[in-house]
Every structure is written in structure tokens, then in C-alpha cells.
Amino acid sequence: YIFARAAQGDYDAIVITHSAFGKIPLSAETETAFLKEKIAEYEAALLESKAMEGRSMTAKDLQKSLDNYKSKLEALTDKLERRRDERIVTWDDLGVDQLFVDEADMFKNLGFATNKTIPGVKGRASQRAEDMFMKIRSMQCRCVNCGRFVPAGHTRCPNCFTTKQDDTASTVFMTGTPIANTVSEMYIMQRYLDYDGLKQDGLLNFDAWAAQFGDDVTALEMNPSGKGYRLFTRFARYKNLPELKRRFWRFADVQMDAEVVGVKRPRMVGGRARAIASRCSPALSALIDTLALRAENLPNDPKEDNMLAVTNDGR
């Protein structure tokens, strides 16, 4: 009901929750166009993966994602046939000019095709992030005349043949942690908010972006069981920082000064943080030995025990 009112009314602003936002459907036509783009992206990555030796697991993962998107496209085609006579208010009907997203870090699990198998690269998607990305792109690729989505590669709107796209629509992300866990989160933020810039510079493909702005780091780190150390390589460092910073600041306004943003922090005793070491108790030492034994002897069935369970018990 609220979506129908929004489509028919003339509101300055409408505030809804993340969950309500996710329930606003895209039109089947718009979602179909996006799925075709994703299929083309994964097909290109799969061809590249098959041409590389020793990357069979990457090819399997890419094939699985590709099959998933193809299944979604088939389901949408059937849905489109059933809904031709139905009247459903979709995101395209609302005519949103500007989208403000608070706690935008909740949408960082945006999927992308990649041939990098190293830890630190998370290419799998969440449904929430994909939904957000499609809605943002539908605003950026909207026909200025009829409001319909203009698919990538089309110079004219397929509905009314207008050549100009709506360049007034914009998106504002608000978050305290735009980059928290992996280097690839910088790419995801750029993909959301500077998609055309990445595409124009040939950096829309993650592997091309990673070659330009990311680096692999090999370091000594503790085993997941908490007992002993190992050498591990991760995609965990930026390079070409001046250029990357220039790109990020094309759309980002970063505030680091607590006084500027009005945050009052308590003073620390001694004026700085101190590390306080505590001796390991016999009970804790025995528990760590147990975790190490479990990690070295994991069963074939992950339902019985797995590394995630070992790590969680260690925490």
C-alpha cells in the first residue's frame, strides 16, 4: 500500500527500513537486463579461467555462479509471462530521484566474477547487496523521457528510442565502516558509486582493478585453532595509493576528526592505549590443544565438525 501511495504522490522524502526496501520489487524487464549482464560477465571470466592451468576450482565456482544466474533468468522469463496482465508497483514506477542509504556497510557482499583464488577476495553475493546494486543501476540507467531502464550497450531507449539517459539521479551511502575486512571492499564501493568511471577506465572487471590497486601479502599468522603459526598469503594491501585515493575522493566525503563530526571520546589513562598480557591458564591451554587436534583431524562430513566450528569455539 505504501509503495502505491509513493508512486502516485508527490513526496519530498520517504523513510523506510532496509527490510521494507528489499521488498520493493524490480520490474521483470529491468531484472532480466541485469541478469543478462551478469551472465555475460561470468561467461567471460569462465573462458579466461579455463585458459589458465591449475585453476580448476575457480572454473567450478564460476560455472556454479553462472548456472545460478541462468536459472534466475529462466524463472524471470516465466514470471514475466504470468504477470503481463497483473498490476504490481515496482521500483521503476516510484520515480526515485535520490537514494540515501544509512548503514551502507550492510550491502558490501556484492558479487563479482574473478579468477583470483587467494583469501581476501570475496566474490560471492548476498541477495540484499544484489538487490541494492540493481536498484542503484536502474536509477543511473533510466531514460529521461519514459523512465524505463536502458540496458548496457544500448545508445537508445528500447521503449521510446530517446538517446539521453537521466543523469540527475544519485545515491548517497552513509557508513562508519566503508572498508572493514578486505581490500576488495574498496572495489565494491567504487562499483556501487563510480560504476561508469570504472567502466570508462577499463577497471570494471575485478581482476583488472586488483592488478592495478591491490597486492598479495605473505605473512606469519596464527593457526585458526590458536596453536602454532603458519605462513599465509592474502590479498591484503593497496598499491598505487595516490591514484586510488583520487578515484575514491571523486564520490567520497571522509571525516576522520572526532571533533568535526561531534563525537566525544573519553580520555585514556596515560594518554595512550596499553597492551596488557595475561598468563594462559591450564584450562585454556588444554582447550587450545583440543582445538588444534580437531583442526588436524576434521571428518569428511562437515556436519560432524568443520574449521568454522573450531574457530568459533576458539573465540
Side-chain angles (χ1 to χ4, degrees), residues 26-289:
L26 279 159
S27 69
E29 293 88 350
T30 299
E31 197 168 350
T32 296
F34 275 112
L35 287 175
K36 288 180 178 179
E37 286 185 15
K38 296 295 291 186
I39 288 172
E41 177 186 348
Y42 276 85
E43 284 177 340
L46 185 59
L47 286 174
E48 183 181 346
S49 178
K50 289 180 177 179
M52 302 166 65
E53 295 183 0
R55 306 295 286 276
S56 58
M57 287 304 296
T58 306
K60 288 179 181 178
D61 290 340
L62 289 170
Q63 186 65 58
K64 184 178 180 180
S65 298
L66 178 60
D67 293 341
N68 182 41
Y69 283 118
K70 286 183 176 180
S71 298
K72 287 183 178 180
L73 182 60
E74 291 176 4
L76 266 178
T77 303
D78 296 337
K79 187 187 296 184
L80 185 60
E81 293 296 327
R82 294 195 307 268
R83 286 188 172 182
R84 290 198 181 277
D85 297 328
E86 297 181 16
R87 293 193 176 185
I88 299 174
V89 177
T90 66
W91 172 257
D92 311 70
D93 299 325
L94 297 182
V96 176
D97 298 311
Q98 193 167 38
L99 178 65
F100 289 83
V101 184
D102 195 15
E103 301 297 345
D105 52 280
M106 295 178 65
F107 301 89
K108 284 191 293 189
N109 289 338
L110 182 64
F112 51 83
T114 178
N115 280 297
K116 290 183 73 68
T117 58
I118 191 171
V121 176
K122 189 175 182 180
R124 295 183 179 178
S126 70
Q127 185 175 348
R128 176 166 54 189
E130 291 249 300
D131 177 72
M132 173 65 72
F133 180 71
M134 286 192 290
K135 287 171 180 175
I136 290 175
R137 287 297 295 153
S138 69
M139 290 171 58
Q140 296 168 343
C141 299
R142 186 168 52 197
C143 174
V144 71
N145 184 45
C146 68
R148 291 291 187 90
F149 171 69
V150 182
H154 285 64
T155 57
R156 291 178 178 270
C157 173
N159 182 57
C160 68
F161 303 103
T162 301
T163 56
K164 181 175 172 54
Q165 292 184 350
D166 188 354
D167 56 3
T168 61
S170 64
T171 303
V172 177
F173 273 11
M174 294 169 286
T175 173
T177 52
I179 302 162
N181 297 315
T182 65
V183 168
S184 58
E185 290 175 3
M186 169 67 84
Y187 166 78
I188 289 172
M189 286 295 160
Q190 288 181 278
R191 193 173 173 92
Y192 270 123
L193 303 174
D194 192 27
Y195 185 93
D196 292 333
L198 288 176
K199 187 175 182 180
Q200 182 179 350
D201 296 331
L203 298 173
L204 190 57
N205 177 275
F206 175 77
D207 292 348
W209 183 92
Q212 187 76 18
F213 297 117
D215 225 345
D216 301 341
V217 178
T218 301
L220 196 67
E221 63 178 43
M222 186 175 287
N223 281 320
S225 63
K227 189 176 181 65
Y229 294 85
R230 61 177 179 174
L231 279 174
F232 207 72
T233 303
R234 297 179 182 276
F235 183 66
R237 184 168 58 200
Y238 294 112
K239 64 181 180 181
N240 296 328
L241 278 173
E243 173 63 16
L244 182 60
K245 182 179 178 181
R246 184 186 66 81
R247 288 176 171 276
F248 188 61
W249 279 68
R250 287 197 298 201
F251 59 85
D253 177 27
V254 183
Q255 297 293 339
M256 301 292 290
D257 193 329
E259 294 182 0
V260 172
V261 296
V263 176
K264 293 184 178 180
R265 294 182 294 186
R267 293 181 179 180
M268 288 185 285
V269 176
R272 60 185 179 86
R274 294 177 298 157
I276 300 176
S278 58
R279 192 176 299 276
C280 182
S281 68
L284 179 58
S285 180
L287 174 61
I288 292 175
D289 289 339

